[in-house]
């Protein structure tokens, strides 16, 4: 067993993890998309408040995302738009992380 | 000299030995509609798996449970015995320090038997052995101490192992202990842990352990091998009992065995064949080669040693003695190693249900005082020792019988490996001779492994190229069967998937990747606002300057932010990869240690 185990340990510990860039991108895209979708809808469900100028305001801080995500607002429709943006950015970032990681692993080994 | 030949088949297959391996080979040939000649030295078949009949009281040479992970062996048992196979619950205990311990151990019973102080010391010793293990694992003592702790080794392993082998544990090779525990490959352990976890999450029971139950033929294991002998003889094969192989005639030039000389009924016969399968002790096999094998090989064979064994069967005028199938006797005050209660294996083993038949197992060397002791004295010794242990009253014993079994255990002493390698190299060069079984390969094969070697040997005769020496090395083996899982575990989670999932993450690679992407995101976010412009540019993003000193929503700030972000992303990525590697390594370590520790629960069963 000692021999078999040391062989197994060698197999386990000599290998370096490779990331699947596409899967990594998909996961990060879904995660980021969902985070924005849920965060937006949470504020929508919670409701807003009337500001001193008499305007009904929902999620003034999250709304700042519209600086980057054109068309985004804190509403149900906005949450779907936000999901799309989040998914796109998450996917690109995740895939890029996976790709860079794999390149570095290839370079180092 | 009379000559006999096999049959009309162009291949004439001669099988030396009528134990599980030899008879399995004959049975496999029978299934291929081929005939063989089985040469057995004794007057009964079954080898060490025989069942002895003494005045209709049946007893084994040691207890032989029928359980296996080898499907082919299990199928054969079922084919041959079908309804005559009983499924039995197991109860066995260890007798140590005047107390009985359930084996496999039960926590409360062990705690009450050992006492709080001793149990605590065992725990401390276990931890100590893991922090400061023996660096070299050469001996049995070192191997067991490293896994279970020195104190547990002294309590449950030392005396019994030394009884079995007759030499100090410090002289027994660690390899023997390692081979006794199969199925403990790290990958298998991880796979099992993952499957178990997955099944538990789904609310399914996964592993039914055969440590707690086993199959057993109604009239003992001899029934199985007698049935096999009858089947193959019914198909035209011969099973020659009382036939002692005297010479192996081989041709040095062609490196082939041509015939064997046997002595049966006082007459010498020449049995020629085209293919030979031998399960006789490899030491004897080599010694019987004519012309003689090279000196180096002969010397190696002469250096192989065996442990022998005798059973004293006592017929006791009591319907019940103890509830166990068998009891391990660790007590150093007696020479008895193990006590079997055959009625608890199968009620068919005794003709009168008001009586009990116990088998007392003594480990010895052929020719030592125990071996040479007259049967009457051995029966008296058995009665005296059983009374001393409180297991029976000598006055209740009404009869007894003794069976001696030479070469029951191939010895894994300090030189056996080197010697066996020399022999193996020689035998590999003899084209038409294959060695199988426990003594045939000088390997501590159990019944199922012996059977498998024989099955593969038959396939080799017909063109396959199996390496028989890999059986019991590569074969996963421990007393578990995944009955709820239809697919093989290897198919559920292949080795390659485990290796991929548990491989080390490159910390620098992940840190750089995460840092780069984080840096780019901040850079672009900043630059986007700068390009968009406005009266006040990025008042909210500018808040980052609280953390990134010098940062602003400008082109220059975009570079500064990218630098900071890269640094934090890098640190976070490195830490993530580090923690991921550490937690997986810890998981692997935990699975390994747990599996090793669990192996304690069936360790003694392999003796």
């Amino acid at each position: 067993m000692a021999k078999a185990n040391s062989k197994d340990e060698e197999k386990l510990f000599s290998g370096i993890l490779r990331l699947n860039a596409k899967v990594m991108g998909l996961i990060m895209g879904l995660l980021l998309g969902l985070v924005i979708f849920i965060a937006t809808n949470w504020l929508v469900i919670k409701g807003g408040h009337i500001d001193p100028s008499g305007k009904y305001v929902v999620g003034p801080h999250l709304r700042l995302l519209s600086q980057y995500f054109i068309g985004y607002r804190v509403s149900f429709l906005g949450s779907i738009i936000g999901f799309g943006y989040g998914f796109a950015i998450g996917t690109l970032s995740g895939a890029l992380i996976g790709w860079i990681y794999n390149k570095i692993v290839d370079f180092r080994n | 000299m009379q000559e006999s030949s096999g049959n009309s088949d162009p291949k004439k297959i001669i099988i030396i030995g009528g134990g599980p391996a030899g008879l399995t080979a004959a049975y496999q040939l029978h299934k291929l509609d081929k005939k063989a000649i089985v040469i057995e030295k004794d007057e009964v078949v079954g080898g060490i798996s025989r069942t002895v009949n003494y005045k209709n009281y049946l007893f084994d040479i040691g207890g032989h449970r029928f359980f296996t992970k080898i499907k082919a062996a299990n199928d054969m048992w079922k084919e041959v015995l079908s309804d005559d196979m009983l499924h039995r619950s197991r109860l066995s205990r260890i007798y140590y320090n005047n107390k009985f311990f359930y084996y496999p151990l039960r926590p409360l019973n062990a705690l009450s038997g050992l006492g709080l102080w001793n149990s605590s010391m065992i725990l401390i010793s276990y931890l100590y052995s893991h922090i400061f293990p023996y660096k070299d694992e050469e001996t049995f003592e070192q191997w067991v101490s490293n896994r279970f702790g020195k104190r547990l080794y002294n309590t449950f392993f030392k005396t019994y192992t030394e009884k079995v082998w007759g030499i100090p544990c410090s002289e027994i090779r660690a390899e023997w202990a390692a081979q006794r525990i199969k199925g403990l490959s790290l990958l298998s352990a991880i796979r099992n842990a993952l499957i178990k976890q997955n099944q538990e999450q789904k609310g399914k029971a996964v592993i039914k352990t055969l440590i707690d139950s086993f199959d057993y033929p109604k009239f003992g294991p001899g029934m199985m091998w007698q049935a096999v002998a009858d089947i193959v003889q019914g198909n035209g094969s011969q099973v020659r009992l009382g036939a002692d192989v005297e010479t192996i005639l081989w041709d040095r030039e062609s490196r082939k065995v041509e015939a064997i000389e046997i002595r049966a009924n006082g007459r010498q016969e020449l049995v020629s064949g085209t293919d030979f399968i031998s399960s006789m002790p490899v030491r004897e096999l080599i010694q019987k080669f004519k012309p003689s094998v090279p000196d180096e090989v002969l010397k190696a064979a002469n250096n192989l040693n065996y442990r022998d064994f005798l059973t004293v069967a006592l017929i006791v005028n009591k319907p019940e003695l103890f509830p166990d199938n068998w009891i391990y006797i660790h007590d150093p005050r007696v020479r008895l190693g193990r006590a079997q209660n055959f009625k608890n294996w199968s009620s068919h083993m005794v003709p009168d249900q008001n009586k009990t038949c116990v088998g007392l197992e003594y480990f010895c060397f052929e020719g030592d005082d125990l071996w040479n002791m007259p049967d009457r004295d051995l029966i008296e010794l058995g009665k005296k020792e059983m009374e001393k242990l409180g297991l029976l009253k000598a006055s209740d014993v009404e009869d007894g019988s003794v069976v001696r079994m030479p070469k029951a255990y191939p010895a894994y002493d300090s030189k056996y490996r080197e010697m066996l390698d020399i022999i193996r190299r020689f035998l590999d060069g003899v084209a038409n001779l294959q060695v199988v079984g426990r003594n045939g390969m000088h390997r501590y094969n159990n019944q199922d492994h012996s059977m498998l070697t024989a099955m593969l040997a038959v396939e080799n005769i017909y063109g396959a190229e199996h390496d028989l020496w890999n059986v019991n090395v590569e074969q996963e083996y421990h007393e578990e069967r995944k009955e709820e899982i239809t697919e093989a575990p290897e198919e559920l989670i292949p080795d390659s998937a485990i290796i991929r999932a548990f491989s080390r993450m490159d910390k620098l690679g992940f840190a750089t990747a995460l840092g780069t992407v984080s840096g780019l995101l901040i850079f672009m976010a900043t630059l986007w606002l700068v390009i968009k412009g406005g009266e006040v540019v990025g008042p909210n993003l500018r808040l980052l300057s609280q953390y990134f000193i010098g940062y602003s929503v400008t082109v220059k700030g975009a570079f500064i932010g990218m630098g900071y972000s890269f640094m934090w992303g890098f640190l976070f990525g490195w830490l993530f990869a580090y923690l991921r590697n550490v937690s997986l390594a810890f998981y692997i370590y935990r699975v390994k240690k747990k599996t090793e520790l669990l192996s304690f629960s069936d360790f003694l069963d392999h003796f």
Side-chain angles (χ1 to χ4, degrees):
Chain A
M1 189 202 79
K3 208 181 251 180
N5 253 351
S6 64
K7 232 193 266 174
D8 283 353
E9 277 173 37
E10 205 180 295
K11 276 189 212 164
L12 275 173
F13 296 120
S14 64
I16 301 282
L17 181 77
R18 306 265 159 174
L19 296 176
N20 185 323
K22 285 178 192 166
V23 174
M24 183 92 179
L26 184 70
I27 290 168
M28 282 197 60
L30 284 172
L31 275 177
L32 192 60
L34 279 173
V35 164
I36 293 172
F37 180 81
I38 293 167
T40 307
N41 281 310
W42 174 254
L43 295 180
V44 172
I45 292 163
K46 256 181 72 180
H49 62 276
I50 309 229
D51 73 356
S53 63
K55 261 175 87 179
Y56 183 69
V57 183
V58 183
H61 295 104
L62 197 62
R63 202 173 51 193
L64 292 169
L65 274 180
S66 63
Q67 295 283 326
Y68 302 102
F69 301 167
I70 295 156
Y72 173 77
R73 57 188 180 273
V74 184
S75 65
F76 179 70
L77 183 67
S79 73
I80 294 169
I81 294 168
F83 176 86
Y85 278 113
F87 181 79
I89 288 185
T91 302
L92 285 173
S93 304
L96 194 58
I97 289 172
W99 184 79
I100 295 171
Y101 172 85
N102 287 341
K103 286 286 165 201
I104 292 171
V105 168
D106 287 344
F107 179 74
R108 278 160 54 81
N109 296 284
Chain B
M1 191 181 286
Q2 183 187 331
E3 182 168 346
S4 62
S5 61
N7 44 58
S8 58
D9 193 285
K11 284 193 181 292
K12 291 179 183 170
I13 300 164
I14 312 299
I15 299 166
I16 304 170
L23 286 172
T24 298
Y27 185 77
Q28 290 305 112
L29 288 165
H30 147 76
K31 286 176 80 175
L32 297 170
D33 203 25
K34 310 283 182 194
K35 297 176 182 63
I37 300 176
V38 180
I39 308 292
E40 169 55 47
K41 183 180 181 180
D42 284 330
E43 295 295 341
V44 288
V45 293
I48 197 173
S49 297
R50 76 184 59 173
T51 298
V52 180
N53 185 333
Y54 176 71
K55 297 180 181 174
N56 291 328
Y57 286 89
L58 305 177
F59 57 94
D60 292 357
I61 312 298
H64 291 271
R65 289 176 291 155
F66 282 58
F67 57 80
T68 184
K69 292 187 82 181
I70 300 168
K71 191 176 175 299
N74 202 38
D75 289 348
M76 181 174 159
W77 291 337
K78 283 182 179 162
E79 269 168 35
V80 175
L81 289 182
S82 57
D83 294 341
D84 286 326
M85 192 70 99
L86 307 174
H87 192 71
R88 309 297 299 163
S89 294
R90 170 222 177 124
L91 177 66
S92 59
R93 288 180 293 174
I94 292 170
Y95 183 86
Y96 169 75
N97 210 10
N98 297 322
K99 293 189 179 82
F100 286 98
F101 296 88
Y102 285 107
Y103 187 77
L105 293 183
R106 298 179 187 175
L108 282 178
N109 169 261
L111 190 68
S112 69
L114 292 166
L116 200 59
W117 168 253
N118 208 5
S119 301
S120 310
M121 292 307 289
I122 283 173
L123 186 66
I124 291 168
S125 154
Y126 172 78
L127 295 173
Y128 182 87
S129 71
H130 282 78
I131 300 166
F132 306 106
Y134 286 108
K135 280 182 185 153
D136 298 318
E137 279 186 2
E138 293 291 327
T139 67
F140 177 85
E141 181 177 338
Q142 290 164 343
W143 195 95
V144 175
S145 299
N146 274 359
R147 274 147 193 85
F148 307 120
K150 186 94 177 175
R151 204 169 173 103
L152 203 61
Y153 157 76
N154 281 324
T155 307
F156 287 121
F157 290 93
K158 191 174 186 297
T159 48
Y160 186 72
T161 309
E162 289 182 351
K163 270 187 193 182
V164 172
W165 288 107
I167 51 173
C169 288
S170 55
E171 288 177 26
I172 301 169
R173 299 278 295 168
E175 194 181 334
W176 179 77
Q179 196 192 316
R180 291 296 75 209
I181 299 176
K182 289 291 161 192
L184 282 193
S185 95
L186 192 52
L187 288 174
S188 305
I190 292 171
R191 180 184 299 109
N192 289 340
L194 291 171
I195 291 172
K196 194 176 171 193
Q197 207 174 328
N198 183 265
Q199 298 292 314
E200 276 172 359
Q201 279 166 3
K202 290 179 185 168
K204 289 184 190 172
V206 190
I207 294 172
K208 279 191 179 175
T209 168
L210 287 181
I211 293 170
D212 301 323
S213 62
F214 55 88
D215 291 336
Y216 189 72
K218 206 164 151 182
F219 296 110
M223 180 188 189
M224 164 80 196
W225 300 111
Q226 188 54 56
V228 174
D230 293 343
I231 290 169
V232 299
Q233 286 181 103
N235 194 40
S237 289
Q238 296 177 40
V239 179
R240 305 280 304 271
L241 299 178
D244 193 10
V245 175
E246 291 194 325
T247 315
I248 311 284
L249 298 167
W250 73 303
D251 180 47
R252 276 183 176 163
E253 296 303 313
S254 63
R255 297 193 73 83
K256 278 189 169 179
V257 174
E258 291 172 337
I260 56 172
E261 281 177 348
I262 62 167
R263 180 167 292 278
N265 303 319
R267 286 189 311 167
Q268 201 177 43
E269 286 180 42
L270 187 71
V271 183
S272 58
T274 57
D275 295 273
F276 296 80
I277 295 174
S278 168
S279 67
M280 74 189 288
V282 69
R283 182 173 76 186
E284 283 181 32
L285 177 82
I286 295 293
Q287 287 168 342
K288 288 174 192 291
F289 266 69
K290 192 176 168 183
S292 183
V293 299
D295 281 351
E296 183 201 27
V297 180
L298 187 61
K299 203 173 151 193
N302 291 338
N303 273 318
L304 290 181
N305 294 311
Y306 299 87
R307 185 67 165 158
D308 311 291
F309 173 86
L310 63 86
T311 295
V312 178
L314 298 180
I315 296 163
V316 188
N317 194 11
K318 283 268 177 190
E320 300 286 341
L321 277 181
F322 47 85
D324 311 63
N325 303 104
W326 69 90
I327 299 173
Y328 298 101
I329 311 294
H330 287 216
D331 195 321
R333 295 172 304 156
V334 295
R335 299 180 76 174
L336 175 61
R338 201 163 46 184
Q340 304 277 355
N341 188 342
F342 293 110
K343 196 175 163 185
N344 292 341
W345 287 73
S346 165
S347 58
H348 301 277
M349 302 288 275
V350 293
D352 180 350
Q353 294 304 313
N354 289 317
K355 293 178 183 176
T356 306
C357 177
V358 287
L360 313 182
E361 299 174 8
Y362 289 92
F363 305 97
C364 51
F365 288 111
E366 209 172 338
D368 73 5
D369 62 326
L370 262 182
W371 186 267
N372 289 332
M373 197 181 279
D375 289 3
R376 191 187 304 161
D377 293 353
L378 280 169
I379 292 166
E380 283 308 312
L381 176 72
K383 283 157 66 172
K384 205 171 97 187
E385 293 198 339
M386 286 293 275
E387 189 164 79
K388 198 183 225 176
L389 300 172
L391 293 172
L392 58 75
K393 281 186 189 162
S395 55
D396 289 331
V397 178
E398 58 179 44
D399 201 354
S401 175
V402 176
V403 175
R404 290 170 177 80
M405 177 53 68
K407 300 183 180 63
Y409 299 101
Y412 278 23
D413 52 26
S414 54
K415 55 191 180 223
Y416 103 93
R417 164 56 62 198
E418 190 191 339
M419 301 298 123
L420 195 60
D421 284 345
I422 295 169
I423 293 167
R424 190 179 155 179
R425 278 198 295 276
F426 168 75
L427 288 175
D428 284 346
V430 182
N432 63 341
L433 171 66
Q434 298 183 80
V435 288
V436 295
R438 178 184 281 196
N439 279 338
M441 304 177 84
H442 201 84
R443 173 167 290 180
Y444 205 111
N445 287 326
N446 280 340
Q447 191 175 219
D448 52 346
H449 286 119
S450 294
M451 290 167 68
L452 184 61
T453 56
M455 290 172 183
L456 299 179
V458 169
E459 287 179 17
N460 282 348
I461 290 174
Y462 290 97
E465 289 183 356
H466 301 293
D467 184 354
L468 305 187
W469 296 96
N470 275 341
V471 174
N472 203 358
V473 175
E474 299 295 331
Q475 197 79 23
E476 186 184 6
Y477 183 79
H478 57 155
E479 296 180 22
E480 289 172 347
R481 183 168 58 189
K482 283 83 178 166
E483 293 185 343
E484 303 290 330
I485 299 169
T486 48
E487 303 98 317
E490 291 77 7
E491 285 167 18
L492 286 174
I493 312 176
D495 279 359
S496 56
I498 296 175
I499 291 167
R500 267 207 311 275
F502 284 82
S503 332
R504 200 160 41 87
M505 190 176 228
D506 188 322
K507 296 190 288 290
L508 185 69
F510 193 68
T512 310
L514 197 64
T516 306
V517 172
S518 310
L520 279 173
L521 282 174
I522 293 292
F523 179 78
M524 287 193 296
T526 309
L527 220 55
W528 175 252
L529 295 182
V530 172
I531 292 164
K532 264 179 75 181
E535 278 180 29
V536 184
V537 181
N540 294 297
L541 196 61
R542 203 169 51 195
L543 291 172
L544 270 181
S545 64
Q546 296 283 325
Y547 302 99
F548 299 170
I549 296 159
Y551 172 77
S552 59
V553 186
T554 59
V555 174
K556 186 182 162 197
F559 284 102
I560 292 170
M562 184 169 76
Y564 275 114
S565 196
F566 175 83
M567 185 185 78
W568 284 110
F570 186 92
L571 286 176
F572 180 79
W574 194 93
L575 192 66
F576 176 85
Y578 175 79
L579 290 176
R580 181 232 175 238
N581 291 346
V582 167
S583 42
L584 281 187
F586 179 73
Y587 180 82
I588 292 168
Y589 176 82
R590 203 172 62 95
V591 167
K592 186 179 163 188
K593 290 296 159 195
K594 195 176 168 189
T595 313
E596 278 179 359
L597 195 60
L598 283 176
S599 70
F600 176 72
S601 66
D602 70 338
F603 197 95
L604 292 177
D605 293 350
H606 296 292
F607 281 69

